[in-house]
Amino acid sequence: MPHILAIDQGTTSSRAILFDARMQVTATAQKEFPQLFPAPGRVEHDPADLWSSVAGTARAVIEKAGVDTADIAAIGITNQRETTLIWDRETGQPIHNAIVWQDRRTAPICQQMKDAGLEPMITHRTGLLLDPYFSGTKVKWLLDNVEGARARAGRGELMFGTVDCFLIWKLTGGRVHATDATNAARTLLYNIRDGRWDPEICHHLGVPLSLLPEVRDCAAGYGVTRADLFGREIPILGVAGDQQAATVGQACFAPGMMKSTYGTGCFALLNTGDTLVESRNRLLGTIAYQLDGKPTYALEGSIFVAGAVVQWLRDGLKIIREAKETQPLAEAADPAQDVILVPAFVGLGAPYWKPDCRGAVFGLTRNSGPAELARAALESVGFQTRDLLEAMRADWQGAAGGVLRVDGGMSASDWAMQFLSDIIGAPVDRPQVLETTALGAAWLAGMKAGVYPSRGEFAATWALQHRFEPQMGEDLRAAKYDHWKRAVAATIGVA
């Protein structure tokens, strides 16, 4: 029976998931790796950790499943997006740690470019805003701040890549320097209208075109792995950034379909089909997926802190030991206390885009404790999601109403998903398969390999595990959301 190996390289851990010919999970392996915080607002990863955790979990899941590598038809890769690496073309040695998507060090570069009047042009071509979130300004920072890097880049000695690109290069033994359209679309360097790296934007950022990888479809040939890694060469046939892979895994193939993924951050994508919507509400235009050379566009809202707020409760405040403890705490919270947590630990994402904001808590009393903070943490994710959906509805009439499909670790919390349904006033559908990000990458590779069905047949396999219907009264919903909006305004005012 043929299998597909999905590599899911995330912000805090790397996972490998083996899917069988029926797209069912055979086995999984996961490994966390350190988060590096060299200075306030800076977040890095050691590239060696990214590679070793991916290679290690891939080998581990094959051994765990007892599958012969001859039965693995293809590999699909999905990854944390925007995280930026530059390495030596000959030696493969990175010139610096990977700069993570959460990193805010390039805020001054973004402001300088805004002051120069460049944002409207960049947004029109890339769908993105000038924010430290994206890769382009990270590339400029590396070239400007790592000794000798700019000269070496000018001589063609260096290569840039997002995490998928770095992994492809490592897996293929340095034979393939390529990325897919969804990851390219998050770099601030790729013209998603024309489907090419934009020379003018690259010029403004001082990024040589020789640094950039080839851009391919999400389902395409990305070379084969080194034979010594898994005992034989395995073709890499599918690549997509994590949020786009989740969109595929949720089978959001029709315009108007929406999904929201709750991992470290929260990312809502709305399929807009052939239409690249220019947001009037500071959402992002992006590529949902690209097949047979044709991009399908999406509106995206990005929240920087979702599951990470639960990690903060665990690792920062130490009021929980495991994420699952938040649900009973939230249920036990005093309903008379209206505590609001604005988790702007690394700034506010869409639709505010305030990189200088920091977290704030409102409504504390002497009786406030772990239960009220846990409830406020879970509610903050629902409030932020409503912010995104309100902006989407204002931008595109095809977003009106409808069901929100959810996935990611936090979607397993019944309490959080019920509050989400309550605060957005719409049904929330949780699928039977919560590994939608890995499933999306697996389907792309499996479909290309001829193992998995076509798009329409794949969409027909999507199955509902639970639907959450709104139970909150409209007056209470409006009052709670108004309190959230005022808390956000106050947080921005302090910044």
Side-chain angles (χ1 to χ4, degrees), residues 137-406:
T137 57
K138 302 181 196 299
V139 177
K140 175 177 171 55
W141 189 93
L142 287 168
L143 295 180
D144 288 343
N145 288 275
V146 176
E147 185 177 357
R150 185 161 292 286
R152 293 173 66 194
R155 295 193 296 267
E157 297 173 6
L158 301 179
M159 309 170 90
F160 152 73
T162 43
V163 173
D164 62 302
C165 182
F166 179 68
L167 294 178
I168 291 165
W169 193 87
K170 294 286 285 185
L171 287 165
T172 62
R175 289 173 291 183
V176 178
H177 184 214
T179 188
D180 86 296
T182 69
N183 278 293
R186 311 298 297 187
T187 62
L188 207 72
L189 305 171
Y190 189 71
N191 188 319
I192 63 175
R193 295 177 182 275
D194 297 344
R196 64 187 179 94
W197 299 113
D198 193 287
E200 185 178 357
I201 297 174
C202 289
H203 171 74
H204 285 298
L205 284 165
V207 176
L209 293 174
S210 62
L211 201 68
L212 306 176
E214 180 186 345
V215 180
R216 300 178 184 177
D217 283 351
C218 298
Y222 287 86
V224 296
T225 62
R226 292 165 19 206
D228 62 303
L229 284 175
F230 307 116
R232 77 171 187 92
E233 295 180 342
I234 303 174
I236 304 168
L237 297 180
V239 180
D242 52 10
Q243 304 314 317
Q244 285 91 341
T247 302
V248 170
Q250 286 276 36
C252 290
F253 294 128
M257 295 185 73
M258 293 186 291
K259 74 89 199 174
S260 191
T261 298
Y262 298 95
T264 302
C266 164
F267 303 87
L269 262 75
L270 167 69
N271 186 322
T272 61
D274 296 335
T275 304
L276 175 57
V277 176
E278 290 202 44
S279 176
R280 300 180 302 278
N281 295 281
R282 299 183 68 75
L283 296 178
L284 307 176
T286 194
I287 295 175
Y289 50 86
Q290 181 169 302
L291 300 172
D292 300 320
K294 181 182 178 182
T296 294
Y297 295 109
L299 267 177
E300 177 176 329
S302 307
I303 297 168
F304 297 149
V305 174
V309 75
V310 176
Q311 290 178 318
W312 175 68
L313 296 178
R314 183 192 68 187
D315 302 334
L317 298 187
K318 302 187 186 303
I319 62 175
I320 60 171
R321 288 169 296 180
E322 295 180 278
K324 64 182 180 182
E325 295 174 24
T326 54
Q327 179 157 322
L329 278 173
E331 291 170 346
D334 181 0
Q337 295 191 49
D338 195 6
V339 177
I340 295 284
L341 168 61
V342 182
F345 304 141
V346 290
L348 282 171
Y352 305 104
W353 295 107
K354 298 292 184 180
D356 296 327
C357 277
R358 292 298 177 262
V361 184
F362 297 86
L364 291 176
T365 72
R366 286 190 65 182
N367 290 329
S368 300
E372 287 71 35
L373 284 172
R375 182 186 64 189
L378 296 183
E379 286 186 344
S380 73
V381 177
F383 286 130
Q384 291 178 98
T385 305
R386 177 162 172 180
D387 286 341
L388 301 182
L389 300 187
E390 294 278 343
M392 286 178 174
R393 289 166 184 150
D395 274 337
W396 195 58
Q397 61 182 8
V403 174
L404 179 65
R405 291 185 173 182
V406 295

